[in-house]
């Protein structure tokens, strides 16, 4: 099974409600779909969103990176040589992690199709049912409380609350949501770099003193501010999770060495795909550090890949934040991972099991 061609599509899916964080507001998913063709007729699928404010990747940069730097290195390569191919992808250029992720996902899809097994089985196997949280966008307090209650009523047992706008209002937001859903759901806060280190300590200690128990607080400070992250981690009881601060395995090693955070959020769009996500899970497990697996605004192509990683690496990846598909108004993908609100189930279909993608526009 040799690579013969790589093609692109654009997939647009409206969201049920606008996605609002301290960094941005988005009302639809617009992702690049990558199709890796082979001489056997098998097609591998990958996907990447433009997340300029986090990874630096745009639709244009993703397509250009793949077209001019990845594709020329991969044409003619044999899918059976998985480790060689992932090495070629990662060494093709600096950064561009989302472009690399899209192609790696498609390669793993093909590798598993080659052996007629779902991806997670070739990564070591696991229990093919996992449970995700759902994001509650930052908004007026009453709206966030209503969205939280509605999510709990839909069966979500963990809520990822977006904060990081105005520290005083953030504290009131959390108190109100905690009071509204107490004992029915765990709360994860994501500040998306919105606080300074001192503000974060103040906010988290205030919530702790008020009896609000949080499962974790994610990325309270700026991505580059590892010292600030350590400052917060040292001063609060609530576990602190790094997201935008860590992309690849080298940064994870540094974060663990500094004890700058308690938990690591793995996203395929930051790691450049599955091979480095596995490395991070293994490094974290060796150090007794837990991981979350998350996604950007992605549909059930690349999120399916993250699900397979989560299933196979469940000893290290104990928290799941793969709500992209459940934020969409509809699922454009007919495939092997079934997203039903909080419950995600993987079937035995080979690869990622993607059979059809509805509404995809071709990119010439
Ligand atoms: Mg985050």
């Amino acid at each position: 099974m040799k690579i013969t061609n790589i093609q692109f599509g654009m997939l647009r899916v409206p969201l049920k409600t606008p996605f609002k964080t301290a960094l941005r507001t988005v009302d639809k998913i617009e992702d690049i779909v990558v199709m890796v063709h082979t001489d056997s007729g098998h097609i591998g699928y990958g996907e990447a969103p433009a997340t300029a404010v986090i990874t630096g990747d745009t639709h244009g940069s993703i397509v250009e990176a793949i077209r001019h730097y990845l594709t020329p290195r991969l044409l003619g390569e044999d899918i059976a040589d998985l480790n060689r191919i992932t090495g070629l992808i990662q060494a093709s250029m600096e950064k561009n992690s989302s472009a690399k992720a899209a192609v790696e996902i498609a390669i793993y899809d093909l590798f598993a199709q080659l052996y007629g097994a779902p991806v997670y089985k070739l990564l070591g196997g696991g229990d093919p049912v996992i449970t995700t949280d759902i994001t509650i966008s930052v908004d007026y307090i009453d709206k966030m409380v209503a969205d939280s209650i509605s999510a709990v009523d839909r069966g979500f047992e963990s809520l990822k609350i977006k904060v990081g706008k105005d520290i005083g209002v953030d504290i009131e937001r959390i108190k109100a949501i905690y009071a509204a859903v107490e004992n029915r759901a765990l709360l994860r806060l994501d500040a998306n770099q919105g606080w300074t280190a001192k503000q974060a300590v103040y906010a988290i200690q205030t919530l702790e003193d008020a009896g609000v128990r949080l499962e974790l607080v994610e990325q309270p400070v700026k991505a580059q501010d590892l010292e600030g992250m350590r400052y917060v981690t040292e001063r609060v009881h609530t576990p602190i999770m790094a997201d935008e601060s860590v992309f690849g395995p080298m940064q994870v090693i540094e974060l663990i060495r500094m004890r700058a955070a308690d938990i690591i959020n793995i996203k395929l769009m930051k790691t450049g795909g599955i091979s480095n996500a596995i490395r991070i899970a293994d490094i974290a497990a060796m150090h007794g550090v837990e991981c979350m697996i998350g996604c950007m605004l992605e549909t059930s192509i690349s999120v399916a890949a993250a699900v397979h990683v989560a299933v196979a690496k469940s000893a290290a990846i104990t928290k799941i934040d793969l709500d992209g598909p459940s934020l969409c108004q509809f699922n454009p993908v007919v495939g092997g991972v079934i997203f039903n609100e909080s419950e995600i189930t993987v079937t035995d279909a080979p690869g990622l099991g993607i059979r059809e993608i509805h509404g995809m526009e071709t990119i010439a």
Side-chain angles (χ1 to χ4, degrees), residues 281-334:
D282 290 343
I283 291 165
M286 285 168 60
H287 291 87
V289 171
E290 283 183 81
C291 297
M292 172 181 277
I293 193 158
C295 58
M296 305 294 188
L297 285 170
E298 301 165 44
T299 76
S300 42
I301 303 170
S302 49
V303 177
V307 169
H308 283 266
V309 173
V311 166
K313 291 287 167 184
S314 61
I317 300 171
T318 56
K319 300 170 196 306
I320 311 291
D321 176 29
L322 298 176
D323 63 349
S326 50
L327 299 175
C328 291
Q329 284 186 16
F330 56 88
N331 183 0
V333 181
V334 183

Side-chain angles (χ1 to χ4, degrees), residues 160 162 190-192 218-219 241 243-244 265 267 321:
K160 174 91 127 7
K162 294 288 190 183
D190 189 354
N192 283 108
E218 178 173 352
Q219 196 65 46
M241 182 166 73
D243 182 6
E244 291 94 317
N265 192 346
K267 290 177 181 164
D321 176 29

Side-chain angles (χ1 to χ4, degrees), residues 127-150:
D127 180 356
V129 184
I130 58 175
T131 306
T132 183
D133 63 13
I134 190 164
T135 300
I136 305 297
S137 284
V138 63
D139 216 311
Y140 300 108
I141 292 178
D142 291 351
K143 169 87 167 99
M144 291 182 77
V145 168
D147 287 349
S148 300
I149 291 170
S150 152

Side-chain angles (χ1 to χ4, degrees), residues 201-216:
V201 171
Y202 166 73
I204 297 165
Q205 286 182 347
T206 301
L207 290 166
E208 287 174 350
D209 292 346
V212 174
R213 289 186 41 205
L214 302 171
E215 186 187 4
L216 57 89

Side-chain angles (χ1 to χ4, degrees), residues 327-344:
L327 299 175
C328 291
Q329 284 186 16
F330 56 88
N331 183 0
V333 181
V334 183
V337 176
I338 298 155
F339 295 88
N340 181 20
E341 298 284 24
S342 64
E343 190 180 271
I344 303 174

